[in-house]
Amino acid sequence: MAGDLGKYRVDGRLGGGGMAEVFVGQAQGAEGFARPVAIKRVLPGFSDNPAFARMFIAEAQLSARLLHPNIVAVLDFDRDAEQRLFLVMELVEGTDLDHLLAGGPLPIPTAIFVITEVLRGLGYAHDLPVGSDLRGLVHRDVSPHNVLLSWEGAVKVSDFGIAKARAASEATASVFIKGKPAYMSPEQASGGPLDGRSDLFAVGVMLWEMVVGRRLFVGEDTRATVAAVLFGAIPRPRSLRAEVSRDLERIVMKLLARELPTRYATAEAAIDDLLACAEAPRAGREGLIRLLAERFPGEARLRQSTVRARGRATASSPPAPAPPRSLGSVMQARTRTAVPSAPPPRRRTGWRVAAIAASAVAIVGSAAVAFEVVTALSARGPSLDPRLGTFELVAPPRLTVTIDGMLAGSPPLTTTLTVGTHELRLIDAGQGTDERSTITIRAHATTRIDRPR
């Protein structure tokens, strides 16, 4: 779709999920003023549902209060000419942590910098006053897909759309588990009450994977992944990467403590310990900029001052060793929440935009439904990403859909997937059926399934 949404010009579609689609656009003002934005618009039908609309509006109001440099900003909220709800979000030029990890383990100082920035954003949200008797937001879907990295070295947490204002006894996993199973805390996976410490467990999973270079909790399906979160062994990072210091290992394992009293109580406490590590960087942002330029040549643009400094360093010292290829090859198999392998990263020209728009959770009738954040990575220029295709499902809305073990929402569903074979699961709780099949995604093509009502 291209056109106008009032003061916003819509330039093109970036992606979609079960209940919304995301566009790249421009906020327009007087005298030719324009600012790039991401626009997330609810699909037809959902905006007319009073329960969904109330919940979406409440979530948008909460998300708009998250004003922090390490959180993707919500800029506006409105309805279009057809009365469909839409959110306007900050557009971040860069990539996400998941794509960065596909290149192998991170240098330890860079991993510490990224995680510290993530913790700053989460700590702010966890302590945000949201009402007379509530304080703080629990993200509930912290994962590498929801950590954006700009080419300029900014680190931003996205998708607070499934976050809920929390009281100690009220923030539970509700009817459906929301989030990605491989990054859930044990209490979230088991449906228990949640507070900010649940997000800190997910941070621990990410930090473990960043320094080790492979997935921590892996299962053949969602059930097996949840079992690994609840009961699986957690190897100490030093047993897999000797250069990890004992101090950093202690922090990782404390973040990953399954027993809540043993885990860090606050994000700030974890930040303090990370900054006290011997590997804590003095110039973490510059280190991230350099790493992005190395792993995404032609896309990340180094400042000229950085290029000159790098040239001087190269002339006087040998280049840093590349990450171990064996670990990198393991990370290249990362895909959403399950094990199927994905193609290795490709070198592309042009630049990518990571556009994040908030999700929402709604109570529709007696069932809780969530629509997934879209992390849409688009290549600007004549060529499209050769690894992506589109999947469309037209089926009764009572179905619950998972793809590769991850909750995708309810029909009608349109989403972008990597090229190859994916596992599709259609669950009809009312009829007691659970159907599994495979779908094949081809580059630049749409795979469509129509199911009778």
Side-chain angles (χ1 to χ4, degrees), residues 25 68 75 96 154 164 188 198 202 208 253 279 338 374 381 391 404 427 436:
H68 191 276
L75 305 176
D96 60 34
K164 303 292 289 183
Q188 183 179 4
S198 178
W208 191 97
M253 300 307 290
E279 305 99 325
V374 176
F391 172 63
D404 294 338
I427 303 168
R436 298 170 186 260

Side-chain angles (χ1 to χ4, degrees), residues 247-261:
D247 284 344
L248 182 57
E249 180 178 79
R250 178 182 58 80
I251 295 168
V252 173
M253 300 307 290
K254 188 170 182 178
L255 286 166
L256 290 172
R258 289 191 170 100
E259 299 297 326
L260 280 173

Side-chain angles (χ1 to χ4, degrees), residues 33 108 135 170 190-191 213 216 237 294 296-297 396 415:
F33 173 85
I108 290 176
R135 187 175 187 86
E170 294 180 356
S190 59
L216 176 53
E294 291 168 3
F296 301 94
T415 188

Side-chain angles (χ1 to χ4, degrees), residues 268-310:
E268 289 74 16
I271 290 172
D272 289 343
D273 282 357
L274 283 166
L275 294 180
C277 285
E279 305 99 325
R282 294 184 178 180
R285 189 180 184 111
E286 293 301 320
L288 177 59
I289 291 172
R290 287 192 295 270
L291 182 63
L292 289 170
E294 291 168 3
R295 295 197 179 180
F296 301 94
E299 299 181 63
R301 297 183 299 278
L302 281 175
R303 301 188 196 101
Q304 286 304 307
S305 58
T306 304
V307 172
R308 289 193 296 271
R310 191 169 164 192

Side-chain angles (χ1 to χ4, degrees), residues 312-387:
R312 289 194 297 268
T314 303
S316 59
S317 60
R325 293 187 60 83
S326 59
L327 292 176
S329 63
V330 173
M331 290 303 298
Q332 288 169 0
R334 296 171 57 92
T335 177
R336 301 178 83 95
T337 61
V339 193
S341 60
R346 299 174 184 263
R347 294 189 175 186
R348 297 193 297 274
T349 58
W351 52 275
R352 287 192 299 186
V353 170
I356 299 300
S359 303
V361 177
I363 305 299
V364 181
S366 61
V369 292
F371 63 79
E372 177 189 353
V373 66
V374 176
T375 304
L377 301 173
S378 67
R380 176 162 294 192
S383 61
L384 298 173
D385 191 325
R387 299 177 295 166

Side-chain angles (χ1 to χ4, degrees), residues 189-205:
S190 59
L194 308 181
D195 59 23
R197 291 173 294 180
S198 178
D199 289 343
L200 299 188
F201 185 91
V203 169
V205 178

